[in-house]
Amino acid sequence: MKKLGLLVVGGIAAIVLIANLGPMVGLGIGLAVMYYAFKKAMAANSGGKKFWWGALSVVGLCVSVSNLPAILGAVAIYVLYVVYKKWNQSASIDENDSNDPFTNFEREWSKLKNS
């Protein structure tokens, strides 16, 4: 049952990621343009160059703000990562469980010693 829940959550996160892939690319491009233009504006010597690089930086900011829903895509990437980790963690726990009484005793004894 736990695997089914992880599969459903992972599927929903994958759909959200695919739906927000375009805005994520737009957000990345907008942030890159804004960063590059800001750096150039700070390094410019003349007022005219500072103005034009600053204007380009504002354009990059507008592009970034318009693609702000792409943050949902970043959250979906994180959810997929967590689902992947939980999926592998539950698989490793299932492999370690055995019906051998000595293995169970050793595991419980180590828990008691660490407590």
Side-chain angles (χ1 to χ4, degrees), residues 36-78:
Y36 181 74
F38 180 76
K39 287 296 214 182
K40 286 290 191 173
M42 290 294 119
N45 294 329
S46 68
K49 285 184 180 181
K50 280 188 184 272
F51 173 77
W52 289 113
W53 283 115
L56 186 62
S57 181
V58 170
V59 169
L61 177 68
C62 291
V63 169
S64 298
V65 169
S66 69
N67 287 311
L68 207 55
I71 293 175
L72 289 175
V75 171
I77 289 173
Y78 177 73

